[in-house]
Amino acid sequence: MSAVTHDDLMAYADGQLDPGRVGAVEAHLAANPDAASEIALMRRQSDALHALFDPVAAEPVPARLRARRIAAAQRQRRGRSWSWAVAALVLLSLGVGGGWFARPLFEAPAASAVLIADAINAHTVFVAENRHAVEVGRDDSAHLASWLSNRLDTTLGLPDLSAQGFALVGGRLLPGEPQLGGRAAQLMYEDAAGARITIYVTAALPDRQPAAQLASLDGAEAFYWANARITCTVVGTLPAERMQAVSQAVYGQLTDGDVSAPRYRS
C-alpha cells in the first residue's frame, strides 16, 4: 500500500478521502499523534467556519447581485458614458475659473491657530510625564535659558511665577516650521498640588505683527500672543481666574520693556 501523503490527510480532514484510503490514513494517524492533533485542529476550524457562514450561504442571492440586473446596469452605464464625458469637460472649464474664487476654502489655517494647537498638543503630552516631563530641569535653569535662547535665536527669560503659586519644573526644545517661528521652547511650571502649566515660545513670525488670542481646545485653555520678537502660548487647565493671573504674569515678564507689545487684556 502506498504511503500516506499530505493530500490524503487534507482530504481526510475535509471528509473527501476515497473510502479505500481511509484505513491507511487512520493507521497513520494512530502511529503519529502530532499528525492526528493537526487533523483534529483542522476539523475544529472547519466546523467553526461552517457554523459562521453556512447560514449566510443558504440565503437567496440578493436582487442586486443577480446576473440579469448586473447586465442591465452595465448597459445603462455604457449609455451614460458620453454624458459623463461632456460633464467632465464642462466641470474642467468651470474649475479653471472657479478655483480662483474657491481658494479661501483651501487656504492654510492662520499661524496663530496652528501654534495654539501645537502648544496644546505638546502640553497634553508632557504634563502627563513624570521622569521625562522636561529635558533640562530647574536645577540647571541658567543653562536652560541660555540653551533655549540660542536655539530660538532670541533672548528667552524664565518667568518667575512664584507669586502665582508655581515653580519652574524645567524645559525642552521642540521642532517647528520655519514659517511659524521655527523651533519652539516649552517651559513647564507646577504648583504645590501638582497642577501644571506650560509656556510655548517660538521666534517671531515672518510678519512680526502684534497679536493676541484666547482659545480652548480639548479641555485646555490657551492665551496666545505675538510681537516683533516672539510668539508665546500659555496653556493650562486651571480655573479661569487663576489662568488669567498666570497668563498676565507671563505676558508682563516676557514683554517687559517692549513698547510695541499690545496691552494685556483679560
Side-chain angles (χ1 to χ4, degrees):
M1 182 176 290
S2 60
V4 173
T5 67
H6 181 70
D7 289 342
D8 288 334
L9 294 174
M10 295 299 293
Y12 180 80
D14 292 336
Q16 302 294 323
L17 184 64
D18 186 321
R21 296 286 295 159
V22 171
V25 169
E26 289 181 343
H28 174 79
L29 294 176
N32 294 274
D34 290 343
S37 297
E38 184 178 355
I39 293 298
L41 176 60
M42 289 180 184
R43 285 183 163 175
R44 287 197 298 272
Q45 291 174 336
S46 178
D47 291 342
L49 290 172
H50 281 293
L52 284 172
F53 298 114
D54 281 358
V56 177
E59 294 176 358
V61 176
R64 62 186 175 82
L65 297 180
R66 291 175 184 166
R68 182 175 297 178
R69 175 165 292 193
I70 292 173
Q74 288 176 337
R75 289 194 299 270
Q76 187 176 14
R77 283 196 295 271
R78 284 195 295 269
R80 288 201 301 262
S81 62
W82 174 250
S83 300
W84 288 351
V86 173
L89 289 173
V90 173
L91 288 173
L92 179 61
S93 62
L94 290 174
V96 172
W100 171 257
F101 296 103
R103 70 190 189 284
L105 299 176
F106 304 100
E107 288 178 350
S112 60
V114 177
L115 288 171
I116 290 170
D118 288 348
I120 291 177
N121 286 336
H123 174 89
T124 302
V125 169
F126 293 114
V127 295
E129 293 288 335
N130 289 320
R131 295 182 60 186
H132 304 289
V134 297
E135 285 184 90
V136 179
R138 61 187 166 209
D139 293 339
D140 203 1
S141 58
H143 167 67
L144 175 63
S146 174
W147 172 55
L148 293 178
S149 295
N150 289 335
R151 294 298 181 268
L152 269 60
D153 198 24
T154 186
T155 301
L156 177 63
L158 307 180
D160 180 358
L161 301 180
S162 56
Q164 289 72 39
F166 283 88
L168 178 69
V169 176
R172 68 173 58 247
L173 186 69
L174 295 168
E177 298 295 331
Q179 67 272 22
L180 296 175
R183 289 172 290 194
Q186 185 192 57
L187 303 175
M188 185 180 297
Y189 292 76
E190 186 176 69
D191 69 5
R196 289 175 169 178
I197 63 101
T198 57
I199 305 171
Y200 185 93
V201 181
T202 74
L205 296 175
D207 63 13
R208 298 183 177 273
Q209 293 300 307
Q213 183 177 340
L214 293 170
S216 298
L217 180 65
D218 295 334
E221 302 293 325
F223 172 60
Y224 164 88
W225 79 86
N227 58 27
R229 191 175 62 83
I230 61 171
T231 79
C232 179
T233 309
V234 182
V235 185
T237 56
L238 307 175
E241 292 183 0
R242 196 170 181 212
M243 193 69 197
Q244 178 181 330
V246 169
S247 299
Q248 189 168 5
V250 173
Y251 180 85
Q253 293 180 51
L254 292 186
T255 60
D256 185 32
D258 183 358
V259 295
S260 67
R263 182 181 177 184
Y264 179 90
R265 290 181 292 178
S266 301

